[in-house]
């Protein structure tokens, strides 16, 4: 009975998970994270779950949990029903025939199919991805756009507790000169004890980047993420060539084709891969493989996933040989409520692969009920 792999039900549940503190981006702030859970059930009675999530709304890439719910229910579910969860390539090809973009929504479905498929076989998801290249991954902590003293205090607290050893600061919320001065203060305070990286979230233009970023490198910032808009790959290449520190591509990198273009133009030194923005586990593996072949390491980035999406990203990051630049899979640590019956295992600055079939995580039904949006 459990070996009937045909999908007989697709269900979505929208929740708002409260955060421990507001998280500030250049263009958005969030104090709860909206999450769309997509449940894919087989006729054999096995249910897989995937997560649709974006950082604080549609500003990042145009999708939101509300658009994902509509796209999954109205357009994807009819394609999925009656199909086998292990027929992934053809199902996702057919989904692509119905929906052109919407990679975040597709990722939720693709991960749910992997979870259900792996559970049917009684194996972890990473087994379907080739097995672990590693069993844990370092986790960087993200700091918001608040004043220097506020973020330094938060960073020192994390360091003292032995939780994180590198920090990524969000930039782009204020005038570039003031923002650079703020980051230089933070870098000076943390010099010698922690690595400091910055993420512009595509907020600056080419010239602002060429003028101001070298001063961050001088101050000891070790990496710069996506200073210019995603489409401006040529400008990103110029900035990469001009800076003595690595540049990471995030908004510029969603598809394997983007990865090829970035590699060919030497527009970035590191690939930020999110299973969410990239449309799921398979495309994420493809992108990491293109990076590895071009000498560009992959970093497991986040859309601030709850533990379900974080587990999916962890299975990818552990199964991708090229994911050698660590991660920022801190989403569950930012959340004030534990959504799982057994929490993910963070220890020694790393997130460790769970054991058990599928993603290896179980949502707590009480929490699902408590935070469900009506
Ligand atoms: Mg980013």
């Amino acid at each position: 009975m459990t070996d009937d792999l045909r999908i007989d039900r697709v269900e979505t549940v929208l929740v708002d998970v409260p955060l421990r503190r507001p998280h500030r981006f250049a263009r958005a702030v969030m104090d709860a994270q909206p999450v769309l859970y997509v449940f894919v059930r087989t006729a054999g009675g096995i249910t897989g779950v995937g997560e649709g999530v974006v950082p604080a709304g549609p500003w990042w890439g145009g999708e939101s949990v509300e658009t994902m719910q509509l796209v999954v229910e109205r357009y994807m579910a009819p394609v999925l029903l009656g199909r086998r969860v292990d027929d992934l390539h053809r199902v996702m090809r057919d989904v692509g025939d119905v929906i052109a973009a919407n990679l975040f929504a597709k990722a939720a479905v693709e991960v749910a199919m992997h979870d259900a498929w792996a559970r049917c076989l009684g194996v972890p998801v990473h087994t379907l991805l080739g097995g672990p290249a590693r069993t844990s991954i370092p986790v960087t902590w993200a700091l918001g756009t608040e004043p220097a003293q506020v973020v330094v205090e938060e960073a020192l607290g994390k360091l003292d507790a032995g939780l994180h050893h590198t920090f990524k600061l969000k930039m782009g919320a204020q005038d570039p000169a003031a923002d650079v001065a703020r980051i230089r203060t933070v870098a000076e305070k943390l010099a010698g004890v922690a690595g400091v990286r910055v993420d512009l979230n595509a907020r600056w233009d080419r010239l602002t980047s060429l003028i101001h970023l070298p001063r961050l490198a001088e101050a000891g910032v070790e990496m710069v993420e996506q200073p210019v808009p995603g489409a401006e790959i040529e400008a990103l290449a110029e900035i990469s060539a001009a800076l003595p520190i690595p540049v990471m591509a995030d908004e510029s990198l969603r598809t394997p084709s983007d990865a090829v273009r970035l590699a060919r133009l030497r527009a970035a030194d590191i690939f930020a891969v999110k299973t969410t923005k990239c449309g799921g586990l398979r495309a994420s593996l493809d992108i990491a493989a293109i990076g590895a072949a071009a000498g560009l390491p992959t970093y497991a980035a986040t859309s601030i996933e709850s533990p379900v999406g974080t587990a999916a990203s962890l299975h990818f990051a552990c199964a991708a040989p090229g994911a050698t630049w660590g991660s920022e899979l801190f989403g569950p640590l930012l959340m004030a409520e534990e959504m799982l019956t057994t929490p993910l295992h963070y220890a020694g600055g790393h997130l460790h692969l769970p054991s058990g079939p599928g993603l290896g995580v179980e949502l707590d039904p009480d929490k699902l009920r408590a935070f469900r949006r009506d």
Side-chain angles (χ1 to χ4, degrees):
M1 187 59 185
T2 56
D3 57 1
D4 188 342
L5 302 187
R6 287 170 303 164
I7 297 167
D8 74 353
R9 188 171 170 180
V10 177
E11 190 192 356
T12 64
V13 175
L14 195 46
V15 299
D16 293 289
V17 187
L19 300 186
R20 291 181 187 278
R21 60 142 167 84
H23 197 56
R24 287 177 197 285
F25 300 85
R27 279 168 285 196
V29 57
M30 55 195 257
D31 48 24
Q33 174 65 316
V35 170
L36 180 74
Y37 291 118
V38 177
F39 299 94
V40 168
R41 194 183 71 184
T42 67
I46 303 288
T47 299
V49 60
E51 177 174 336
V53 63
V54 294
W59 67 275
W60 196 94
E63 287 181 77
S64 69
V65 288
E66 296 84 5
T67 70
M68 286 186 248
Q69 187 166 37
L70 178 101
V71 163
V72 170
E73 289 190 351
R74 184 169 300 182
Y75 298 103
M76 290 194 199
V79 179
L80 297 175
L81 290 171
R83 307 288 292 275
R84 291 171 57 102
V85 288
D86 64 351
D87 195 18
L88 229 140
H89 287 131
R90 284 186 293 190
V91 170
M92 293 313 292
R93 179 199 64 193
D94 294 347
V95 164
D97 284 346
V98 177
I99 304 139
N102 299 79
L103 293 172
F104 285 89
K106 286 172 182 166
V109 165
E110 197 252 23
V111 167
M113 285 182 68
H114 274 93
D115 187 32
W117 178 18
R119 284 172 193 270
C120 289
L121 297 174
V123 300
V125 162
H126 63 71
T127 297
L128 303 180
L129 308 179
R134 58 192 66 79
T135 58
S136 72
I137 191 147
V139 180
T140 294
W141 184 249
L143 297 162
T145 55
E146 292 85 356
Q149 204 45 48
V150 175
V151 295
V152 166
E153 266 172 40
E154 185 174 334
L156 292 175
K158 300 288 180 193
L159 270 173
D160 288 347
L163 296 172
H164 306 276
H165 307 103
T166 55
F167 298 93
K168 191 172 100 173
L169 285 91
K170 292 292 184 185
M171 288 186 73
Q174 54 181 319
D175 166 71
D179 216 3
V180 166
R182 178 180 77 97
I183 298 297
R184 286 179 68 109
T185 304
V186 174
E188 278 163 25
K189 292 257 166 48
L190 297 178
V193 294
V196 174
R197 302 143 179 205
V198 296
D199 186 358
L200 274 300
N201 278 120
R203 196 65 173 149
W204 285 0
D205 61 20
R206 168 190 166 278
L207 194 55
T208 305
S209 302
L210 289 170
I211 291 169
H212 290 284
L213 290 178
R215 299 189 54 230
L216 291 182
E218 282 163 25
V221 168
E222 59 182 25
M223 186 274 289
V224 171
E225 181 173 339
Q226 194 72 40
V228 293
E232 297 177 16
I233 290 185
E234 290 80 4
L236 198 61
E238 263 188 273
I239 294 160
S240 289
L243 285 182
I245 55 174
V247 169
M248 182 149 75
D250 184 7
E251 280 86 340
S252 292
L253 174 61
R254 295 200 194 198
T255 66
S257 307
D258 293 338
V260 169
R261 214 170 307 127
L262 287 164
R264 189 188 295 138
L265 291 173
R266 288 281 149 197
D269 304 286
I270 304 164
F271 282 173
V273 177
K274 302 169 182 168
T275 52
T276 51
K277 71 169 182 179
C278 297
L281 297 161
R282 298 278 148 187
S284 296
L285 283 178
D286 290 345
I287 290 168
I290 291 165
L296 308 175
T298 281
Y299 172 77
T302 186
S303 301
I304 324 234
E305 295 91 342
S306 88
V308 171
T310 300
S313 294
L314 178 62
H315 281 271
F316 150 70
C318 287
T324 55
W325 234 72
S327 85
E328 55 183 23
L329 299 180
F330 60 80
L333 300 175
L334 194 59
M335 294 177 177
E337 294 286 340
E338 177 54 60
M339 296 301 291
L340 302 181
T341 53
T342 305
L344 287 172
H345 182 47
Y346 288 90
H350 282 237
L351 174 59
H352 297 260
L353 266 180
S355 54
L359 293 172
V361 297
E362 308 296 337
L363 275 167
D364 182 335
D366 294 335
K367 295 294 176 65
L368 209 52
R369 249 191 311 277
F371 299 109
R372 188 174 186 145
R373 195 185 288 181
D374 292 323

